[in-house]
Amino acid sequence: MTGETSAPPPTGEPPRNGEELTEAEANARLRTLSRRGFAVAGAAALGTLLGWRWLLRQATREDDLAWPLRRALQTNREISEALFSPRRLAPTSSREAVGVLRPNGTIGLKDADFRLEGWRLQAEGLAGGAASFSLAELQALPHVEMTTEFKCIEGWSTVAHWAGVRLADFARAHPPPTRSGRRFDLERPDDAPPYLSLETPDGEYYVGLDTASALHPQTLLAWALNGEPLSEEHGAPLRLVIPVKYGIKNLKRIGTLAWTTRQPADYWAELGYDWFAGL
Ligand SMILES: Nc1nc2c(c(=O)[nH]1)N[C@H]1C(S)=C(S)[C@@H](COP(=O)(O)O)O[C@H]1N2
Ligand SMILES: [Mo]
C-alpha cells in the first residue's frame, strides 16, 4: 500500500458542484477510502462528490496526473482496476493444456450439517425480490464451457476446464434492479447495482465483486470441472469461476448471491489483500 508521502497541492478554488468539501476533508476521506483498499473507486467517488473539474484542476503538480488519481495508481491493484475492461477476455487454452487443479482453501466448506441434496442458491437484491434456485433450475439456463488459467495469489496457476452458466446470463434471466427502473440490460451495466456479494452457506467465506467483473462474459456459476461434477473440495454443487480475478475471488460452494449498492465485505480484503484482486 502507499504511504502518505505526497503533500496535497495548494488549495484551489472551492468545488463548483457536488458536495462542499474542504481539501482537508477530501484528503481525510480519500485516505479512509484508500485504507479500505479501493483508491480508484475512491478517487472516482470523490470525483463525483467534488466534480470532475475540481479533480482535474489538481492535475498539475504530480506528473500531470490529478493527485487523487496519482495516489490511486501507486499500487498494483489500482492499476489493474484502471486497466480492467469488460471486453478484454482472459486467455483460453485447449483442453490438452488442462492440468490437475489442486484443492486450496476450505473456509466455508467445513459445516458438518451441510447437505448437497438440500442445497439451493439464495439470490438477494433481485428486481423481483429474493428468490432461490435449485441446481437443476440453474442448469436449465444457457450454459457454456471454457478452458482458462486459474491463478492463486500464492503463485501457482493451473489450466482448468469449467462448465456453468454465465453470471451475466443468470442476471438476464433473474435481473437485478436498476437505477432507471427499466428492466436490467447487459448493455447498461451502470444501471445495475455496483456490487455483487457472494458467500458460502455458513457465511464463513465471502467475496465482493464489482459489477463489471461479475458480468464479464467469462464469469461463471460453475458446476463442473474438467468434465466432472464439482467435488466437494472444489466447491460442489456450485462455485464462482472468474478468470479475470485471482483464486481468492473464486468462491467455492456458493450459498448466497446478492446485488448491492455497498461494497461488500471480502474475506481476504479484510486480511489485507487487495479488494479488487484483478489479474
Ligand atoms: N469457500 C471457499 N472458497 C474458496 C477458498 C476458500 O478457502 N473457501 N479459497 C480460495 C482460494 S485462495 C483459491 S486459490 C481457490 C482454490 O480453488 P480450488 O480449491 O478449486 O483449487 O478457491 C478459492 N475459493
Ligand atoms: Mo488462492
Side-chain angles (χ1 to χ4, degrees):
M1 268 302 167
T2 63
E4 314 288 317
T5 45
S6 43
T11 310
E13 297 163 53
R16 281 198 213 130
N17 49 19
E19 193 182 317
E20 297 273 321
L21 283 183
T22 66
E23 184 120 39
E25 286 166 337
N27 260 318
R29 202 175 290 202
L30 184 67
R31 270 199 300 274
T32 314
L33 291 167
S34 306
R35 231 181 273 126
R36 291 192 203 137
F38 53 112
V40 165
L46 264 182
T48 312
L49 284 173
L50 300 174
W52 283 108
R53 274 175 302 173
W54 174 85
L55 186 60
L56 295 174
R57 240 181 283 129
Q58 314 305 313
T60 45
R61 284 131 284 233
E62 289 183 43
D63 301 344
D64 282 338
L65 264 181
W67 62 264
L69 294 177
R70 173 78 205 153
R71 280 190 193 176
L73 287 170
Q74 282 170 350
T75 68
N76 290 339
R77 175 219 152 230
E78 286 87 5
I79 291 171
S80 61
E81 181 163 5
L83 295 178
F84 177 79
S85 159
R87 276 179 245 286
R88 207 182 60 202
L89 296 181
T92 52
S93 303
S94 68
R95 280 200 76 167
E96 291 79 71
V98 164
V100 179
L101 183 64
R102 98 165 180 228
N104 196 52
T106 57
I107 308 156
L109 307 182
K110 290 178 256 183
D111 179 1
D113 295 333
F114 176 74
R115 295 283 170 272
L116 268 182
E117 313 77 60
W119 178 91
R120 291 176 73 82
L121 174 68
Q122 308 294 327
E124 295 170 6
L126 301 181
S132 77
F133 304 91
S134 67
L135 188 61
E137 285 168 326
L138 297 170
Q139 290 176 332
L141 292 169
H143 54 264
V144 297
E145 298 185 15
M146 69 180 185
T147 308
T148 47
E149 195 166 11
F150 190 93
K151 292 191 187 182
C152 174
I153 222 154
E154 292 164 359
W156 52 268
S157 68
T158 304
V159 173
H161 179 86
W162 304 100
V165 56
R166 286 190 172 112
L167 213 151
D169 286 330
F170 174 79
R172 233 199 298 242
H174 305 286
T178 58
R179 257 191 277 243
S180 68
R182 284 196 283 262
R183 186 180 168 90
F184 167 71
D185 174 356
L186 266 181
E187 300 301 313
R188 299 192 54 205
D190 292 347
D191 201 19
Y195 301 105
L196 185 72
S197 163
L198 296 138
E199 59 181 65
T200 53
D202 63 4
E204 293 289 321
Y205 196 78
Y206 39 93
V207 303
L209 299 174
D210 55 289
T211 288
S213 299
L215 297 176
H216 186 279
Q218 290 170 310
T219 300
L220 306 188
L221 300 171
W223 50 75
L225 166 62
N226 300 339
E228 305 284 343
L230 283 179
S231 62
E232 294 230 5
E233 58 190 3
H234 286 299
L238 190 75
R239 75 173 299 166
L240 184 73
V241 177
I242 181 162
V244 297
K245 303 279 189 194
Y246 276 106
I248 46 175
K249 294 284 191 187
N250 290 239
L251 182 134
K252 298 187 279 193
R253 193 190 283 178
I254 306 172
T256 305
L257 156 171
W259 295 103
T260 170
T261 54
R262 292 176 155 225
Q263 178 169 276
D266 186 276
Y267 185 91
W268 285 107
E270 285 171 5
L271 296 173
Y273 283 80
D274 147 33
W275 188 87
F276 192 72
L279 281 163

